[in-house]
Amino acid sequence: MSRPPRPGTNSDARGRRMADKARGPRPPRREPTPRVDEGPEVGVEARIAAGVLLNAALEKRNGVDEALAFREVASLPPADRAFARAVAMAALRRLGEIDQILDRRLKARPNDQVVTILRIALAQILVLETPAFAAVSTAVKLAERDAKTRPYKGLVNAVLRTIGREGPGLTTAEANLPDWIAARWRATYGEPVMIGLALAGRDEPPTDLSLKPGADAAALAQALDGFVLPGGTVRTGRRGDIAQWPGFDTGDWWVQDAAAAVPARLLDVRAGETVLDLCAAPGGKTLQLAATGAAVTALDRSEARLKRLSANLARTGLDAQVIAVPAEDWDDARTFDAVLLDAPCTATGTYRRNPEALRATRPTEVAKLADVQHRLLDAAAERVKPGGRLVYCTCSLEREEGETQVLAFLRRNPAFRTVPADPAAIGAPPEALTPEGWLRLLPSQWPEHGGLDGFFAARLERVG
């Protein structure tokens, strides 16, 4: 169990000890600074936008990205949009704990609009350290604006002021996980790991950068107040517009979680080889492969998502053939020395950066996507030359999308065998190595470095 912070603090002593044990030292968080209300409407529109983003995330996958284009959000000044997103993400990360706090203070739940106002206010007070008087005042103003919430403005004021005065009380980090996700992870990894996974999602993670060969990682880390991870990723707690960071204009790096950088290293590509990157967008792995000097072909079904890859290739001066086509429909007879398949998945391993991934995913999606992965793996295998290699990976924590897929593939394809991974050689946590020689990276691993996204990766070799 853990206790959310009282207003004006990061966490209580007990919660801090538990989080530190699970995660270890991290770069300092630099959250957007909340704005204190000065007039009757100052700050209100940004809080409305935060509620829009929060509810969009709870309704469907990619809800936050879509809602950023909504009038309530897009019409705000950039600083207010950033603030609204920070509040919504904080509320998503701590939603279960926030609701535990509210359930103790509410005899009966009011309507959804009132609940949203309370959630947004508590996210500001308990996570972003907004002064309590400012968050409470703005929440009451929000309640006053609409006929459906106006009768509850006294309730909003009383509940928030009571929590501010008496503290939030005990909560559990695992409450932030949907019940079915918590049950699956408990069954798969055990209770202690499940709790560690829940703790890993409570705070905004740092930003990770992958570097081009020849870029000075130590110098960049120093310029960004960060440090260099095993494998060469630079990690920083800096926030803000990355286009203004050192090395962006010169194409020295691209944003890529440390875990996402592992599969391309596992493929062990060398200059002059031919490489196929399937389901390539948004393209971080393609950039890694191109940086080796290999001849890279990158495929993805989404032409829109490939635009970001093409832009990053131009910015970094790297080269790859980019083709918008579904991998299983690609009409090309070529085979390759190395093939990387980062298959579509539930993305449950990315919840540190995308907390909406857990809220938007449904149990039925696991089986549906496992069928897609099955077909893509077989299509990828046909592209591997004799003696060539294939890396299969997903950013999912579900076994059906990782270990189970590879076991079934090896039974269907006796021409392939596992090549055991060497975590130390590719910048992966040693505890990620499975008995089969695959990698199962968990967000609760690497606590001394501040964690990483969840991934599964297996390297296979065609021997026949």
Side-chain angles (χ1 to χ4, degrees), residues 77-123:
D80 283 7
R81 283 200 304 274
F83 172 80
R85 190 178 190 281
V87 173
M89 287 299 181
L92 276 174
R93 290 189 172 95
R94 305 289 186 97
L95 190 66
E97 293 179 85
I98 287 171
D99 284 353
Q100 283 181 327
I101 296 166
L102 290 176
D103 287 343
R104 282 196 292 266
R105 300 294 179 184
L106 296 170
K107 293 181 180 179
R109 278 223 166 189
N111 60 53
D112 291 345
Q113 294 97 316
V114 176
V115 171
T116 296
I117 290 172
L118 290 168
R119 284 170 167 173
I120 291 300
L122 285 179

mmCIF file of all heavy atoms in Angstrom, residues 77-123:
data_model
loop_
_atom_site.group_PDB
_atom_site.id
_atom_site.type_symbol
_atom_site.label_atom_id
_atom_site.label_comp_id
_atom_site.label_asym_id
_atom_site.label_seq_id
_atom_site.Cartn_x
_atom_site.Cartn_y
_atom_site.Cartn_z
ATOM 1 N N PRO A 77 -3.882 28.782 -25.487
ATOM 2 C CA PRO A 77 -2.471 29.096 -25.716
ATOM 3 C C PRO A 77 -1.609 27.863 -25.422
ATOM 4 O O PRO A 77 -2.013 26.995 -24.634
ATOM 5 C CB PRO A 77 -2.187 30.215 -24.709
ATOM 6 C CG PRO A 77 -3.528 30.774 -24.354
ATOM 7 C CD PRO A 77 -4.491 29.647 -24.457
ATOM 8 N N PRO A 78 -0.434 27.758 -26.034
ATOM 9 C CA PRO A 78 0.410 26.567 -25.856
ATOM 10 C C PRO A 78 0.677 26.204 -24.402
ATOM 11 O O PRO A 78 0.628 25.025 -24.034
ATOM 12 C CB PRO A 78 1.696 26.948 -26.594
ATOM 13 C CG PRO A 78 1.261 27.925 -27.634
ATOM 14 C CD PRO A 78 0.149 28.709 -27.023
ATOM 15 N N ALA A 79 0.955 27.195 -23.563
ATOM 16 C CA ALA A 79 1.244 26.896 -22.160
ATOM 17 C C ALA A 79 0.041 26.274 -21.462
ATOM 18 O O ALA A 79 0.180 25.355 -20.644
ATOM 19 C CB ALA A 79 1.689 28.159 -21.428
ATOM 20 N N ASP A 80 -1.157 26.764 -21.781
ATOM 21 C CA ASP A 80 -2.360 26.206 -21.170
ATOM 22 C C ASP A 80 -2.653 24.803 -21.683
ATOM 23 O O ASP A 80 -3.128 23.940 -20.938
ATOM 24 C CB ASP A 80 -3.557 27.118 -21.444
ATOM 25 C CG ASP A 80 -3.550 28.355 -20.557
ATOM 26 O OD1 ASP A 80 -2.546 28.553 -19.839
ATOM 27 O OD2 ASP A 80 -4.532 29.125 -20.596
ATOM 28 N N ARG A 81 -2.382 24.563 -22.977
ATOM 29 C CA ARG A 81 -2.569 23.208 -23.507
ATOM 30 C C ARG A 81 -1.633 22.231 -22.805
ATOM 31 O O ARG A 81 -2.019 21.115 -22.451
ATOM 32 C CB ARG A 81 -2.306 23.175 -25.019
ATOM 33 C CG ARG A 81 -3.419 23.742 -25.860
ATOM 34 C CD ARG A 81 -3.330 23.242 -27.301
ATOM 35 N NE ARG A 81 -2.051 23.536 -27.922
ATOM 36 C CZ ARG A 81 -1.752 24.669 -28.534
ATOM 37 N NH1 ARG A 81 -2.655 25.638 -28.593
ATOM 38 N NH2 ARG A 81 -0.576 24.854 -29.091
ATOM 39 N N ALA A 82 -0.382 22.654 -22.621
ATOM 40 C CA ALA A 82 0.586 21.787 -21.937
ATOM 41 C C ALA A 82 0.139 21.511 -20.504
ATOM 42 O O ALA A 82 0.255 20.385 -20.002
ATOM 43 C CB ALA A 82 1.968 22.434 -21.955
ATOM 44 N N PHE A 83 -0.369 22.541 -19.839
ATOM 45 C CA PHE A 83 -0.857 22.365 -18.475
ATOM 46 C C PHE A 83 -2.039 21.402 -18.439
ATOM 47 O O PHE A 83 -2.106 20.498 -17.605
ATOM 48 C CB PHE A 83 -1.272 23.711 -17.887
ATOM 49 C CG PHE A 83 -1.955 23.600 -16.551
ATOM 50 C CD1 PHE A 83 -1.217 23.421 -15.399
ATOM 51 C CD2 PHE A 83 -3.341 23.659 -16.461
ATOM 52 C CE1 PHE A 83 -1.840 23.298 -14.168
ATOM 53 C CE2 PHE A 83 -3.974 23.539 -15.239
ATOM 54 C CZ PHE A 83 -3.219 23.362 -14.091
ATOM 55 N N ALA A 84 -2.982 21.571 -19.373
ATOM 56 C CA ALA A 84 -4.158 20.703 -19.419
ATOM 57 C C ALA A 84 -3.750 19.251 -19.617
ATOM 58 O O ALA A 84 -4.286 18.335 -18.968
ATOM 59 C CB ALA A 84 -5.108 21.155 -20.531
ATOM 60 N N ARG A 85 -2.797 19.027 -20.501
ATOM 61 C CA ARG A 85 -2.344 17.649 -20.744
ATOM 62 C C ARG A 85 -1.643 17.086 -19.517
ATOM 63 O O ARG A 85 -1.828 15.912 -19.163
ATOM 64 C CB ARG A 85 -1.412 17.613 -21.952
ATOM 65 C CG ARG A 85 -1.098 16.197 -22.419
ATOM 66 C CD ARG A 85 -0.216 16.182 -23.657
ATOM 67 N NE ARG A 85 -0.132 14.856 -24.221
ATOM 68 C CZ ARG A 85 0.642 13.879 -23.764
ATOM 69 N NH1 ARG A 85 1.416 14.107 -22.705
ATOM 70 N NH2 ARG A 85 0.662 12.687 -24.324
ATOM 71 N N ALA A 86 -0.832 17.898 -18.848
ATOM 72 C CA ALA A 86 -0.142 17.432 -17.642
ATOM 73 C C ALA A 86 -1.139 17.030 -16.561
ATOM 74 O O ALA A 86 -0.965 16.017 -15.882
ATOM 75 C CB ALA A 86 0.798 18.516 -17.131
ATOM 76 N N VAL A 87 -2.181 17.826 -16.394
ATOM 77 C CA VAL A 87 -3.198 17.509 -15.388
ATOM 78 C C VAL A 87 -3.932 16.223 -15.756
ATOM 79 O O VAL A 87 -4.139 15.347 -14.911
ATOM 80 C CB VAL A 87 -4.194 18.673 -15.237
ATOM 81 C CG1 VAL A 87 -5.347 18.279 -14.307
ATOM 82 C CG2 VAL A 87 -3.498 19.911 -14.695
ATOM 83 N N ALA A 88 -4.335 16.097 -17.019
ATOM 84 C CA ALA A 88 -5.064 14.901 -17.447
ATOM 85 C C ALA A 88 -4.215 13.653 -17.269
ATOM 86 O O ALA A 88 -4.710 12.607 -16.805
ATOM 87 C CB ALA A 88 -5.493 15.054 -18.906
ATOM 88 N N MET A 89 -2.928 13.722 -17.627
ATOM 89 C CA MET A 89 -2.051 12.565 -17.482
ATOM 90 C C MET A 89 -1.828 12.212 -16.016
ATOM 91 O O MET A 89 -1.776 11.038 -15.632
ATOM 92 C CB MET A 89 -0.717 12.827 -18.184
ATOM 93 C CG MET A 89 -0.799 12.789 -19.691
ATOM 94 S SD MET A 89 -1.346 11.164 -20.267
ATOM 95 C CE MET A 89 -1.313 11.385 -22.027
ATOM 96 N N ALA A 90 -1.688 13.229 -15.168
ATOM 97 C CA ALA A 90 -1.546 12.971 -13.740
ATOM 98 C C ALA A 90 -2.786 12.279 -13.197
ATOM 99 O O ALA A 90 -2.694 11.337 -12.391
ATOM 100 C CB ALA A 90 -1.290 14.283 -13.005
ATOM 101 N N ALA A 91 -3.967 12.738 -13.630
ATOM 102 C CA ALA A 91 -5.206 12.104 -13.188
ATOM 103 C C ALA A 91 -5.306 10.667 -13.676
ATOM 104 O O ALA A 91 -5.752 9.772 -12.941
ATOM 105 C CB ALA A 91 -6.407 12.914 -13.681
ATOM 106 N N LEU A 92 -4.871 10.405 -14.912
ATOM 107 C CA LEU A 92 -4.900 9.042 -15.438
ATOM 108 C C LEU A 92 -3.971 8.120 -14.665
ATOM 109 O O LEU A 92 -4.326 6.978 -14.350
ATOM 110 C CB LEU A 92 -4.499 9.048 -16.909
ATOM 111 C CG LEU A 92 -5.563 9.347 -17.945
ATOM 112 C CD1 LEU A 92 -4.933 9.445 -19.324
ATOM 113 C CD2 LEU A 92 -6.639 8.267 -17.941
ATOM 114 N N ARG A 93 -2.772 8.599 -14.379
ATOM 115 C CA ARG A 93 -1.794 7.766 -13.681
ATOM 116 C C ARG A 93 -2.247 7.416 -12.266
ATOM 117 O O ARG A 93 -1.935 6.335 -11.768
ATOM 118 C CB ARG A 93 -0.430 8.468 -13.641
ATOM 119 C CG ARG A 93 0.251 8.553 -14.989
ATOM 120 C CD ARG A 93 1.690 9.057 -14.875
ATOM 121 N NE ARG A 93 2.347 8.928 -16.164
ATOM 122 C CZ ARG A 93 2.436 9.909 -17.065
ATOM 123 N NH1 ARG A 93 1.928 11.094 -16.778
ATOM 124 N NH2 ARG A 93 3.029 9.699 -18.214
ATOM 125 N N ARG A 94 -2.961 8.315 -11.613
ATOM 126 C CA ARG A 94 -3.385 8.092 -10.225
ATOM 127 C C ARG A 94 -4.901 7.919 -10.101
ATOM 128 O O ARG A 94 -5.457 8.131 -9.027
ATOM 129 C CB ARG A 94 -2.951 9.285 -9.364
ATOM 130 C CG ARG A 94 -1.461 9.635 -9.420
ATOM 131 C CD ARG A 94 -0.590 8.610 -8.724
ATOM 132 N NE ARG A 94 0.793 9.050 -8.687
ATOM 133 C CZ ARG A 94 1.369 9.652 -7.650
ATOM 134 N NH1 ARG A 94 0.673 9.891 -6.560
ATOM 135 N NH2 ARG A 94 2.636 10.017 -7.702
ATOM 136 N N LEU A 95 -5.569 7.523 -11.169
ATOM 137 C CA LEU A 95 -7.033 7.532 -11.175
ATOM 138 C C LEU A 95 -7.616 6.636 -10.085
ATOM 139 O O LEU A 95 -8.574 7.009 -9.399
ATOM 140 C CB LEU A 95 -7.553 7.104 -12.548
ATOM 141 C CG LEU A 95 -9.054 7.299 -12.759
ATOM 142 C CD1 LEU A 95 -9.407 8.785 -12.746
ATOM 143 C CD2 LEU A 95 -9.498 6.674 -14.079
ATOM 144 N N GLY A 96 -7.066 5.448 -9.940
ATOM 145 C CA GLY A 96 -7.584 4.540 -8.931
ATOM 146 C C GLY A 96 -7.424 5.085 -7.526
ATOM 147 O O GLY A 96 -8.336 4.975 -6.689
ATOM 148 N N GLU A 97 -6.276 5.687 -7.252
ATOM 149 C CA GLU A 97 -6.046 6.268 -5.934
ATOM 150 C C GLU A 97 -6.958 7.471 -5.690
ATOM 151 O O GLU A 97 -7.493 7.655 -4.590
ATOM 152 C CB GLU A 97 -4.580 6.677 -5.800
ATOM 153 C CG GLU A 97 -3.626 5.495 -5.796
ATOM 154 C CD GLU A 97 -2.176 5.938 -5.680
ATOM 155 O OE1 GLU A 97 -1.707 6.147 -4.552
ATOM 156 O OE2 GLU A 97 -1.522 6.088 -6.736
ATOM 157 N N ILE A 98 -7.111 8.297 -6.726
ATOM 158 C CA ILE A 98 -8.004 9.452 -6.607
ATOM 159 C C ILE A 98 -9.420 8.989 -6.300
ATOM 160 O O ILE A 98 -10.112 9.549 -5.434
ATOM 161 C CB ILE A 98 -7.955 10.299 -7.893
ATOM 162 C CG1 ILE A 98 -6.621 11.062 -7.966
ATOM 163 C CG2 ILE A 98 -9.128 11.273 -7.960
ATOM 164 C CD1 ILE A 98 -6.385 11.765 -9.292
ATOM 165 N N ASP A 99 -9.872 7.952 -6.986
ATOM 166 C CA ASP A 99 -11.228 7.459 -6.748
ATOM 167 C C ASP A 99 -11.367 6.824 -5.365
ATOM 168 O O ASP A 99 -12.437 6.906 -4.743
ATOM 169 C CB ASP A 99 -11.626 6.468 -7.838
ATOM 170 C CG ASP A 99 -11.988 7.160 -9.149
ATOM 171 O OD1 ASP A 99 -12.046 8.406 -9.160
ATOM 172 O OD2 ASP A 99 -12.204 6.462 -10.151
ATOM 173 N N GLN A 100 -10.306 6.191 -4.871
ATOM 174 C CA GLN A 100 -10.354 5.669 -3.507
ATOM 175 C C GLN A 100 -10.560 6.805 -2.503
ATOM 176 O O GLN A 100 -11.338 6.680 -1.540
ATOM 177 C CB GLN A 100 -9.061 4.923 -3.177
ATOM 178 C CG GLN A 100 -8.960 3.535 -3.789
ATOM 179 C CD GLN A 100 -7.674 2.833 -3.404
ATOM 180 O OE1 GLN A 100 -6.630 3.463 -3.225
ATOM 181 N NE2 GLN A 100 -7.736 1.511 -3.263
ATOM 182 N N ILE A 101 -9.861 7.899 -2.723
ATOM 183 C CA ILE A 101 -9.998 9.064 -1.840
ATOM 184 C C ILE A 101 -11.414 9.627 -1.900
ATOM 185 O O ILE A 101 -12.034 9.920 -0.868
ATOM 186 C CB ILE A 101 -8.965 10.140 -2.233
ATOM 187 C CG1 ILE A 101 -7.540 9.622 -2.001
ATOM 188 C CG2 ILE A 101 -9.200 11.432 -1.459
ATOM 189 C CD1 ILE A 101 -6.473 10.463 -2.669
ATOM 190 N N LEU A 102 -11.942 9.763 -3.126
ATOM 191 C CA LEU A 102 -13.286 10.316 -3.278
ATOM 192 C C LEU A 102 -14.349 9.399 -2.678
ATOM 193 O O LEU A 102 -15.315 9.866 -2.063
ATOM 194 C CB LEU A 102 -13.580 10.559 -4.754
ATOM 195 C CG LEU A 102 -12.809 11.697 -5.409
ATOM 196 C CD1 LEU A 102 -13.121 11.760 -6.901
ATOM 197 C CD2 LEU A 102 -13.127 13.031 -4.746
ATOM 198 N N ASP A 103 -14.188 8.102 -2.843
ATOM 199 C CA ASP A 103 -15.192 7.168 -2.341
ATOM 200 C C ASP A 103 -15.336 7.258 -0.824
ATOM 201 O O ASP A 103 -16.427 6.997 -0.285
ATOM 202 C CB ASP A 103 -14.832 5.737 -2.744
ATOM 203 C CG ASP A 103 -15.068 5.477 -4.231
ATOM 204 O OD1 ASP A 103 -15.789 6.274 -4.859
ATOM 205 O OD2 ASP A 103 -14.511 4.492 -4.752
ATOM 206 N N ARG A 104 -14.254 7.623 -0.147
ATOM 207 C CA ARG A 104 -14.339 7.758 1.309
ATOM 208 C C ARG A 104 -15.058 9.037 1.720
ATOM 209 O O ARG A 104 -15.522 9.147 2.850
ATOM 210 C CB ARG A 104 -12.928 7.738 1.919
ATOM 211 C CG ARG A 104 -12.313 6.368 2.017
ATOM 212 C CD ARG A 104 -11.129 6.380 2.969
ATOM 213 N NE ARG A 104 -10.024 7.151 2.441
ATOM 214 C CZ ARG A 104 -9.005 6.643 1.733
ATOM 215 N NH1 ARG A 104 -8.988 5.353 1.466
ATOM 216 N NH2 ARG A 104 -8.036 7.410 1.290
ATOM 217 N N ARG A 105 -15.099 10.018 0.823
ATOM 218 C CA ARG A 105 -15.669 11.324 1.167
ATOM 219 C C ARG A 105 -17.066 11.535 0.614
ATOM 220 O O ARG A 105 -17.743 12.501 0.990
ATOM 221 C CB ARG A 105 -14.755 12.438 0.631
ATOM 222 C CG ARG A 105 -13.342 12.400 1.184
ATOM 223 C CD ARG A 105 -13.317 12.677 2.669
ATOM 224 N NE ARG A 105 -11.973 12.621 3.215
ATOM 225 C CZ ARG A 105 -11.688 12.748 4.507
ATOM 226 N NH1 ARG A 105 -12.678 12.927 5.374
ATOM 227 N NH2 ARG A 105 -10.448 12.680 4.930
ATOM 228 N N LEU A 106 -17.499 10.664 -0.276
ATOM 229 C CA LEU A 106 -18.806 10.835 -0.912
ATOM 230 C C LEU A 106 -19.764 9.750 -0.429
ATOM 231 O O LEU A 106 -19.472 8.554 -0.547
ATOM 232 C CB LEU A 106 -18.661 10.760 -2.436
ATOM 233 C CG LEU A 106 -17.831 11.859 -3.105
ATOM 234 C CD1 LEU A 106 -17.575 11.504 -4.566
ATOM 235 C CD2 LEU A 106 -18.530 13.201 -2.989
ATOM 236 N N LYS A 107 -20.900 10.135 0.094
ATOM 237 C CA LYS A 107 -21.911 9.163 0.483
ATOM 238 C C LYS A 107 -22.519 8.495 -0.738
ATOM 239 O O LYS A 107 -22.875 7.322 -0.720
ATOM 240 C CB LYS A 107 -22.990 9.852 1.312
ATOM 241 C CG LYS A 107 -22.495 10.355 2.667
ATOM 242 C CD LYS A 107 -23.625 11.014 3.443
ATOM 243 C CE LYS A 107 -23.124 11.516 4.787
ATOM 244 N NZ LYS A 107 -24.202 12.189 5.580
ATOM 245 N N ALA A 108 -22.657 9.263 -1.808
ATOM 246 C CA ALA A 108 -23.148 8.737 -3.083
ATOM 247 C C ALA A 108 -22.440 9.500 -4.191
ATOM 248 O O ALA A 108 -22.165 10.697 -4.055
ATOM 249 C CB ALA A 108 -24.654 8.906 -3.198
ATOM 250 N N ARG A 109 -22.138 8.810 -5.269
ATOM 251 C CA ARG A 109 -21.430 9.458 -6.371
ATOM 252 C C ARG A 109 -22.339 10.440 -7.085
ATOM 253 O O ARG A 109 -23.453 10.087 -7.485
ATOM 254 C CB ARG A 109 -20.917 8.427 -7.370
ATOM 255 C CG ARG A 109 -19.608 7.791 -6.942
ATOM 256 C CD ARG A 109 -18.673 7.685 -8.121
ATOM 257 N NE ARG A 109 -17.325 7.388 -7.667
ATOM 258 C CZ ARG A 109 -16.263 7.409 -8.463
ATOM 259 N NH1 ARG A 109 -16.410 7.717 -9.733
ATOM 260 N NH2 ARG A 109 -15.077 7.150 -7.995
ATOM 261 N N PRO A 110 -21.888 11.680 -7.306
ATOM 262 C CA PRO A 110 -22.652 12.629 -8.119
ATOM 263 C C PRO A 110 -22.523 12.261 -9.588
ATOM 264 O O PRO A 110 -21.956 11.223 -9.942
ATOM 265 C CB PRO A 110 -21.983 13.965 -7.799
ATOM 266 C CG PRO A 110 -20.579 13.599 -7.425
ATOM 267 C CD PRO A 110 -20.656 12.255 -6.771
ATOM 268 N N ASN A 111 -23.025 13.127 -10.458
ATOM 269 C CA ASN A 111 -22.962 12.818 -11.884
ATOM 270 C C ASN A 111 -21.517 12.863 -12.396
ATOM 271 O O ASN A 111 -20.605 13.333 -11.718
ATOM 272 C CB ASN A 111 -23.867 13.755 -12.689
ATOM 273 C CG ASN A 111 -23.471 15.214 -12.539
ATOM 274 O OD1 ASN A 111 -22.326 15.586 -12.744
ATOM 275 N ND2 ASN A 111 -24.436 16.064 -12.170
ATOM 276 N N ASP A 112 -21.340 12.348 -13.614
ATOM 277 C CA ASP A 112 -19.989 12.197 -14.163
ATOM 278 C C ASP A 112 -19.259 13.530 -14.292
ATOM 279 O O ASP A 112 -18.039 13.593 -14.108
ATOM 280 C CB ASP A 112 -20.057 11.515 -15.533
ATOM 281 C CG ASP A 112 -20.470 10.059 -15.437
ATOM 282 O OD1 ASP A 112 -20.438 9.501 -14.319
ATOM 283 O OD2 ASP A 112 -20.830 9.474 -16.481
ATOM 284 N N GLN A 113 -19.987 14.590 -14.628
ATOM 285 C CA GLN A 113 -19.337 15.895 -14.782
ATOM 286 C C GLN A 113 -18.736 16.369 -13.462
ATOM 287 O O GLN A 113 -17.631 16.928 -13.436
ATOM 288 C CB GLN A 113 -20.334 16.936 -15.300
ATOM 289 C CG GLN A 113 -20.832 16.664 -16.714
ATOM 290 C CD GLN A 113 -22.174 15.948 -16.723
ATOM 291 O OE1 GLN A 113 -22.384 15.002 -15.951
ATOM 292 N NE2 GLN A 113 -23.073 16.422 -17.575
ATOM 293 N N VAL A 114 -19.429 16.140 -12.367
ATOM 294 C CA VAL A 114 -18.915 16.532 -11.050
ATOM 295 C C VAL A 114 -17.717 15.673 -10.677
ATOM 296 O O VAL A 114 -16.713 16.182 -10.145
ATOM 297 C CB VAL A 114 -20.025 16.416 -9.981
ATOM 298 C CG1 VAL A 114 -19.462 16.731 -8.589
ATOM 299 C CG2 VAL A 114 -21.175 17.353 -10.303
ATOM 300 N N VAL A 115 -17.798 14.396 -10.948
ATOM 301 C CA VAL A 115 -16.670 13.505 -10.665
ATOM 302 C C VAL A 115 -15.424 13.957 -11.426
ATOM 303 O O VAL A 115 -14.314 13.965 -10.887
ATOM 304 C CB VAL A 115 -17.029 12.045 -11.016
ATOM 305 C CG1 VAL A 115 -15.787 11.157 -10.925
ATOM 306 C CG2 VAL A 115 -18.108 11.524 -10.076
ATOM 307 N N THR A 116 -15.606 14.373 -12.683
ATOM 308 C CA THR A 116 -14.459 14.854 -13.467
ATOM 309 C C THR A 116 -13.838 16.088 -12.815
ATOM 310 O O THR A 116 -12.611 16.205 -12.730
ATOM 311 C CB THR A 116 -14.896 15.174 -14.906
ATOM 312 O OG1 THR A 116 -15.332 13.971 -15.540
ATOM 313 C CG2 THR A 116 -13.749 15.781 -15.709
ATOM 314 N N ILE A 117 -14.656 17.016 -12.366
ATOM 315 C CA ILE A 117 -14.143 18.218 -11.698
ATOM 316 C C ILE A 117 -13.324 17.833 -10.464
ATOM 317 O O ILE A 117 -12.229 18.373 -10.224
ATOM 318 C CB ILE A 117 -15.315 19.144 -11.307
ATOM 319 C CG1 ILE A 117 -15.949 19.755 -12.560
ATOM 320 C CG2 ILE A 117 -14.829 20.265 -10.366
ATOM 321 C CD1 ILE A 117 -17.228 20.525 -12.288
ATOM 322 N N LEU A 118 -13.831 16.897 -9.682
ATOM 323 C CA LEU A 118 -13.119 16.469 -8.470
ATOM 324 C C LEU A 118 -11.817 15.747 -8.819
ATOM 325 O O LEU A 118 -10.781 15.954 -8.177
ATOM 326 C CB LEU A 118 -14.024 15.557 -7.637
ATOM 327 C CG LEU A 118 -15.226 16.241 -6.967
ATOM 328 C CD1 LEU A 118 -16.195 15.201 -6.422
ATOM 329 C CD2 LEU A 118 -14.751 17.166 -5.844
ATOM 330 N N ARG A 119 -11.853 14.899 -9.828
ATOM 331 C CA ARG A 119 -10.632 14.182 -10.239
ATOM 332 C C ARG A 119 -9.552 15.157 -10.697
ATOM 333 O O ARG A 119 -8.373 15.015 -10.334
ATOM 334 C CB ARG A 119 -10.967 13.206 -11.368
ATOM 335 C CG ARG A 119 -11.687 11.940 -10.930
ATOM 336 C CD ARG A 119 -12.182 11.151 -12.140
ATOM 337 N NE ARG A 119 -12.603 9.801 -11.784
ATOM 338 C CZ ARG A 119 -13.206 8.956 -12.627
ATOM 339 N NH1 ARG A 119 -13.456 9.360 -13.878
ATOM 340 N NH2 ARG A 119 -13.541 7.755 -12.239
ATOM 341 N N ILE A 120 -9.947 16.120 -11.509
ATOM 342 C CA ILE A 120 -8.980 17.096 -12.020
ATOM 343 C C ILE A 120 -8.385 17.908 -10.869
ATOM 344 O O ILE A 120 -7.173 18.170 -10.822
ATOM 345 C CB ILE A 120 -9.660 18.012 -13.057
ATOM 346 C CG1 ILE A 120 -9.997 17.229 -14.326
ATOM 347 C CG2 ILE A 120 -8.782 19.211 -13.390
ATOM 348 C CD1 ILE A 120 -8.801 16.620 -15.024
ATOM 349 N N ALA A 121 -9.217 18.315 -9.927
ATOM 350 C CA ALA A 121 -8.716 19.104 -8.794
ATOM 351 C C ALA A 121 -7.748 18.297 -7.942
ATOM 352 O O ALA A 121 -6.684 18.799 -7.535
ATOM 353 C CB ALA A 121 -9.892 19.593 -7.947
ATOM 354 N N LEU A 122 -8.069 17.030 -7.665
ATOM 355 C CA LEU A 122 -7.184 16.214 -6.832
ATOM 356 C C LEU A 122 -5.878 15.889 -7.546
ATOM 357 O O LEU A 122 -4.824 15.796 -6.912
ATOM 358 C CB LEU A 122 -7.902 14.934 -6.411
ATOM 359 C CG LEU A 122 -8.966 15.109 -5.326
ATOM 360 C CD1 LEU A 122 -9.629 13.789 -4.997
ATOM 361 C CD2 LEU A 122 -8.358 15.715 -4.066
ATOM 362 N N ALA A 123 -5.926 15.711 -8.864
ATOM 363 C CA ALA A 123 -4.680 15.489 -9.611
ATOM 364 C C ALA A 123 -3.747 16.684 -9.459
ATOM 365 O O ALA A 123 -2.530 16.532 -9.313
ATOM 366 C CB ALA A 123 -4.981 15.231 -11.084
#
